[in-house]
Amino acid sequence: MPAEKPIKIMLSSTVYNYEHVVDAIYNQLVGYGYQVLCSHKGTVYPIPGKTTEESCLAAVEECDFFFGVIFPNYGSSGYTHKEFLKAIDLNKPRGFLSHAFVPFTRTLLKNFMYDKDKNRLDFELPKKTMVMDSLKVIDMYNDAIGDNNPNNHRLWAQQFYKYELDGSTFVHTQFGDYARLANDLKKLKDGK
């Protein structure tokens, strides 16, 4: 049962071509009793006198848990990536869901994107493809999981291919037990 002040989850993702998935995740989280901060749904407060980017980054600061969804589209503004980096910088409790195209393409292009020391090369897609619009999506994925960190400091991004079949199961596992997440967040805050 939700507490007096519901847990605030920031739902961060690109939206274009995936509106139905963002809507489904939003509705699932709201159904569990969370307050969901999602610019696509109009639940991120547009701070008077501030830019859209500034308001979205303020929502990252405001949230109790950051939930990033990585689609194969990077988007034109890069706001989602900036939100991910802000959540990482603030060390927000966070989790990620990634469309299966992203880690697959990352594995496929690894030899072209990185040198032997894992430094990012200037290799880019010559044009958008149906699989991915920009390799910045892979950069965002790497930032999300902490690719350059030792394995014991990395996070996972749960893969899904079709949200209704395999993505929603992860969202239910992560967020379906409100009391469990509330307890885990309290322990984390208390340093336990």
Side-chain angles (χ1 to χ4, degrees), residues 38 47 63 98 163 192:
C38 176
I47 303 168
C63 74
S98 174
Y163 181 74
K192 294 180 183 178

Side-chain angles (χ1 to χ4, degrees), residues 9-27:
I9 296 178
M10 172 78 173
L11 175 55
S12 175
S13 70
T14 56
V15 178
Y16 183 70
N17 287 332
Y18 294 97
E19 293 91 344
H20 66 288
V21 177
V22 177
D23 289 342
I25 295 170
Y26 176 86
N27 291 331

Side-chain angles (χ1 to χ4, degrees), residues 25-45:
I25 295 170
Y26 176 86
N27 291 331
Q28 194 171 357
L29 294 173
V30 168
Y32 295 141
Y34 299 100
Q35 180 180 347
V36 183
L37 307 175
C38 176
S39 59
H40 169 64
K41 300 301 285 182
T43 57
V44 168
Y45 178 65

Side-chain angles (χ1 to χ4, degrees), residues 5-188:
K5 285 180 77 174
I7 295 171
K8 290 182 184 178
I9 296 178
M10 172 78 173
L11 175 55
S12 175
S13 70
T14 56
V15 178
Y16 183 70
N17 287 332
Y18 294 97
E19 293 91 344
H20 66 288
V21 177
V22 177
D23 289 342
I25 295 170
Y26 176 86
N27 291 331
Q28 194 171 357
L29 294 173
V30 168
Y32 295 141
Y34 299 100
Q35 180 180 347
V36 183
L37 307 175
C38 176
S39 59
H40 169 64
K41 300 301 285 182
T43 57
V44 168
Y45 178 65
I47 303 168
K50 300 290 183 179
T51 65
T52 302
E53 180 180 328
E54 290 170 315
S55 293
C56 289
L57 295 176
V60 175
E61 290 182 32
E62 180 185 345
C63 74
D64 301 306
F65 189 95
F66 182 87
F67 187 52
V69 184
I70 307 166
F71 294 116
N73 293 352
Y74 188 73
S76 59
S77 64
Y79 289 165
T80 304
H81 196 174
K82 290 173 185 175
E83 291 167 1
F84 280 33
L85 293 173
K86 181 76 169 183
I88 293 163
D89 184 54
L90 295 172
N91 198 26
K92 284 284 182 176
R94 58 194 181 274
F96 298 94
L97 184 64
S98 174
H99 191 282
F101 283 0
V102 178
F104 175 80
T105 305
R106 175 181 179 256
T107 300
L108 189 65
L109 296 178
K110 190 180 274 190
N111 291 332
F112 302 100
M113 291 181 65
Y114 307 97
D115 66 17
K116 63 180 174 54
D117 297 320
K118 296 185 177 182
N119 297 310
R120 177 75 158 87
L121 300 172
D122 62 358
F123 176 79
E124 292 295 334
L125 295 175
K127 61 183 180 177
K128 293 178 182 184
T129 70
M130 291 187 65
V131 175
M132 188 170 289
D133 71 349
S134 170
L135 294 183
K136 291 178 184 176
V137 171
I138 295 173
D139 297 332
M140 184 168 63
Y141 177 89
N142 287 338
D143 288 334
I145 66 169
D147 187 53
N148 291 325
N149 295 333
N151 284 342
N152 63 337
H153 286 76
R154 289 177 63 164
L155 296 177
W156 104 52
Q158 178 65 35
Q159 294 181 42
F160 76 99
Y161 182 72
K162 186 169 174 87
Y163 181 74
E164 297 79 7
L165 297 178
D166 48 359
S168 63
T169 303
F170 175 74
V171 171
H172 178 73
T173 301
Q174 180 72 49
F175 301 106
D177 187 338
Y178 189 101
R180 180 180 184 182
L181 182 61
N183 188 46
D184 287 344
L185 290 175
K186 183 179 182 322
K187 283 187 210 174
L188 192 59

